[in-house]
């Protein structure tokens, strides 16, 4: 769903930082070879993720939902030299595709791929995180949040993608639409939970920035 006109989106991209060559190549190959390429963060949102990471200067980053690795590489741009990014996805067929592009970057040895259900993997990570990006199955957003909170450093940032869900958050709820139901609960939780302070940004399909108190 376009919240602003394609012309304005183009203007925004033209007046934001240029997409790095490696990410432009990853973007192109994703559209050529991978199903559902619109899941890619893309130029503008990627530069937003990069800028936030550079402001936060995280040591440990967690990403839930790797897809083809575009957002992971954006988040790595602000990571400290001794840092690591742990990224989780369930699609085995994408692991080699991700790794190929990770290894072309400056951070290949600092990116740890996890294959499987995030619900099972997150509890096994014995780390404290400064930055988390949630961009996976919407039905589990509430579960991911509760698993992540104990593993966050104070002042850490949780980014949540697709929280406007193509505008469905404003439409009458279909009882069978579990994803929208969970996102409505999740957005309310982030607003009301005393453990975080939150701002919802109308970037692409909605990006929430939550700071852990």
């Amino acid at each position: 769903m376009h919240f602003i006109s394609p012309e304005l989106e183009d203007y925004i991209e033209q007046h934001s930082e240029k997409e790095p060559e490696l990410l432009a190549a990853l973007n192109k190959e994703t559209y050529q070879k991978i199903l559902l390429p619109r899941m890619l963060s893309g130029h503008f949102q990627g530069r937003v993720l990069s800028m936030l990471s550079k402001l936060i200067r995280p040591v440990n980053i967690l990403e839930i939902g790797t897809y083809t690795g575009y957002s992971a590489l954006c988040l790595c741009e602000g990571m400290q030299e001794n840092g690591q990014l742990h990224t989780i996805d369930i699609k085995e067929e994408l692991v080699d595709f991700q790794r190929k592009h990770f290894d072309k970057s400056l951070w290949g040895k600092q990116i740890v791929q996890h294959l499987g259900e995030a619900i099972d993997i997150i509890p096994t990570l014995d780390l404290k995180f400064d930055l988390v990006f949630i961009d996976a199955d919407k039905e589990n957003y509430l579960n991911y949040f509760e698993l992540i909170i104990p593993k966050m450093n104070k002042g850490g940032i949780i980014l949540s993608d697709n929280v406007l869900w193509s505008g469905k958050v404003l439409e009458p709820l279909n009882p069978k639409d579990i994803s929208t139901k969970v996102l409505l609960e999740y957005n309310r939780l982030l607003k009301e939970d005393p453990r975080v302070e939150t701002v919802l940004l109308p970037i692409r399909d909605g990006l929430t920035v939550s700071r852990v108190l």
Side-chain angles (χ1 to χ4, degrees), residues 16-199:
S16 297
E17 285 296 311
K18 184 178 179 182
E19 185 179 40
E21 288 185 10
L22 174 62
L23 290 176
L26 172 52
N27 194 335
K28 182 177 181 181
E29 189 172 353
T30 298
Y31 272 84
Q32 289 173 336
K33 299 180 179 179
I34 308 297
L35 291 173
L36 303 174
R38 68 184 298 271
M39 290 173 59
L40 196 83
S41 289
H43 176 187
F44 173 57
Q45 184 171 353
R47 292 305 86 205
V48 172
L49 295 177
S50 169
M51 181 66 78
L52 290 171
S53 184
K54 288 170 182 174
L55 291 170
I56 297 162
R57 297 291 292 139
V59 175
N60 291 319
I61 304 172
L62 174 63
E63 177 183 55
I64 305 172
T66 316
Y67 189 48
T68 56
Y70 189 101
S71 54
L73 290 172
C74 294
L75 294 168
C76 282
E77 291 180 31
M79 184 171 61
Q80 295 189 33
E81 290 183 5
N82 63 332
Q84 279 193 331
L85 181 142
H86 290 258
T87 185
I88 305 171
D89 206 283
I90 61 171
K91 294 187 181 299
E92 186 175 0
E93 66 272 20
L94 292 178
V95 170
D96 291 341
F97 186 98
Q98 297 159 5
R99 178 48 60 184
K100 178 180 72 172
H101 291 280
F102 291 160
D103 287 344
K104 290 179 181 178
S105 76
L106 298 173
W107 311 283
K109 294 181 179 179
Q110 295 168 268
I111 299 175
V112 182
Q113 293 164 284
H114 299 271
L115 179 64
E117 297 286 348
I119 290 290
D120 300 323
I121 293 169
I122 294 170
T124 71
L125 301 176
D126 188 20
L127 291 167
K128 286 285 190 176
F129 293 99
D130 306 297
L131 177 59
V132 173
F133 182 42
I134 305 175
D135 187 16
D137 54 313
K138 312 312 161 194
E139 294 90 340
N140 270 310
Y141 267 37
L142 291 163
N143 296 325
Y144 295 148
F145 180 80
E146 295 299 340
L147 288 172
I148 287 164
I149 278 286
K151 295 180 177 291
M152 295 296 298
N153 283 319
K154 186 175 181 180
I157 298 295
I158 300 171
L159 304 174
S160 309
D161 203 15
N162 304 116
V163 292
L164 294 179
W165 208 223
S166 298
K168 290 181 182 179
V169 291
L170 293 180
E171 297 173 1
L173 180 63
N174 181 337
K176 297 181 180 179
D177 186 351
I178 304 301
S179 294
T180 302
K181 181 177 183 292
V182 171
L183 280 173
L184 287 168
E185 293 178 18
Y186 183 70
N187 290 341
R188 184 166 54 250
L189 169 69
L190 293 185
K191 175 63 170 63
E192 298 175 355
D193 196 305
R195 295 172 292 181
V196 294
E197 59 178 351
T198 292
V199 61

Side-chain angles (χ1 to χ4, degrees), residues 1-5 9 164-167 202-206:
M1 181 175 183
H2 287 278
F3 294 101
I4 60 175
S5 70
E9 286 188 349
L164 294 179
W165 208 223
S166 298
I203 294 171
R204 288 191 75 214
D205 197 22

